[in-house]
Amino acid sequence: MGFNGIKAEVNVPGQIPWEIILIYFIGAVLLALYFGKKTGGLKAFTTVDLVYIGIAGAFSVVWEFYIGSFIGRFIPSTPFVSVGFWGRFVIVLIVAALVRKVGTGMLTLFIFSLLSDIFHYGFGGEPMFFIYETLTYGLFVDLMIAATGGHIFNIGKELTGGGTGSATATRLSTVLALIQGAVLGFSWSIPDPIFYSAFFSPFIYGSYVNWSHILFNLVAFIPGDVIIGAIGAILAVRIAKAVGQ
């Protein structure tokens, strides 16, 4: 017996215990809120912020399921390349750079999940997919915003010094943006193989857990996601500067 197509299996061999997942979700959210409040990244959204977030969530759906899917037809199927996913990742990095407030990632991914259900998947399995998208991909972005005090990719920080000092500060800012983007890329490679394949999929569908497959996918996802994260961070910085931030 289940609810909305959710079997609620918690004893599938190899499945991550639900207690660990619950502890992570609660702990990570509290950590994001704590550091966001402490460092200044936890602020109320403005109307413009919500517009950015709404556009990002909507365009993520358009990219992943239409544009990215079309481009993907011309690329051999491989776990090392995911045009649709990478496009969504870059879009989320851009909106994070524009808004820079804790909650940006989770709200963007919530909108993405909602619109995905409306236009592509249907609502079977909900609310588990809302939880999965917002509290993994979205929360990872918010943790970075919180950790940087609302200055993700070093946006909004004053560059001190002039001449050579200013050039050095600019290079340092670029390096920090690259590192943060790469870290986010690494973190975004984790949810699908670990959270989904090792918990949500067996929880919802009773799927078999194959840790060899999970670890292979994790290793396959990391290089591309890290590179795209670094590139996306630099692109996000440029777009933020272009709109006067």
Side-chain angles (χ1 to χ4, degrees):
M1 183 176 179
F3 167 76
N4 197 28
I6 302 172
K7 292 186 176 181
E9 296 283 354
V10 294
N11 294 309
V12 176
Q15 182 182 21
I16 296 175
W18 67 268
E19 295 91 344
I20 293 177
I21 298 297
L22 181 62
I23 290 170
Y24 156 73
F25 283 152
I26 294 174
V29 170
L30 292 176
L31 191 66
L33 294 175
Y34 171 75
F35 277 109
K37 185 175 182 179
K38 185 176 181 179
T39 61
L42 185 63
K43 300 176 183 177
F45 291 124
T46 65
T47 301
V48 174
D49 294 336
L50 295 175
V51 169
Y52 282 145
I53 290 170
I55 292 173
F59 190 56
S60 294
V61 173
V62 173
W63 179 275
E64 180 141 348
F65 298 113
Y66 299 98
I67 300 174
S69 178
F70 176 76
I71 296 173
R73 295 179 182 179
F74 303 97
I75 300 173
S77 178
T78 169
F80 295 93
V81 178
S82 180
V83 177
F85 177 81
W86 286 347
R88 170 164 50 120
F89 182 26
V90 171
I91 292 167
V92 174
L93 293 182
I94 291 170
V95 74
L98 293 173
V99 179
R100 303 192 304 281
K101 295 173 182 175
V102 174
T104 302
M106 288 186 283
L107 184 54
T108 303
L109 268 297
F110 179 86
I111 293 172
F112 167 81
S113 187
L114 175 63
L115 295 178
S116 296
D117 287 342
I118 293 173
F119 294 105
H120 188 75
Y121 292 121
F123 285 89
E126 294 296 4
M128 300 312 300
F129 292 106
F130 284 120
I131 295 171
Y132 166 65
E133 293 284 351
T134 57
L135 297 184
T136 55
Y137 299 114
L139 182 54
F140 289 154
V141 174
D142 288 332
L143 284 169
M144 182 64 76
I145 294 172
T148 57
H151 296 291
I152 190 170
F153 309 141
N154 228 37
I155 298 171
K157 279 193 173 181
E158 293 291 334
L159 298 180
T160 58
T164 304
S166 179
T168 301
T170 300
R171 285 195 295 270
L172 177 60
S173 180
T174 300
V175 170
L176 288 174
L178 286 168
I179 292 173
Q180 290 174 24
V183 169
L184 283 172
F186 178 82
S187 69
W188 269 52
S189 69
I190 296 173
D192 186 84
I194 301 298
F195 285 93
Y196 184 75
S197 296
F199 178 75
F200 281 98
S201 182
F203 181 82
I204 297 170
Y205 305 113
S207 305
Y208 173 70
V209 178
N210 184 339
W211 274 98
S212 295
H213 182 71
I214 288 170
L215 293 176
F216 174 81
N217 280 340
L218 178 62
V219 172
F221 294 165
I222 289 173
D225 290 357
V226 167
I227 292 170
I228 294 300
I231 294 172
I234 298 303
L235 179 61
V237 170
R238 290 185 177 275
I239 291 176
K241 288 182 178 179
V243 298
Q245 299 195 30

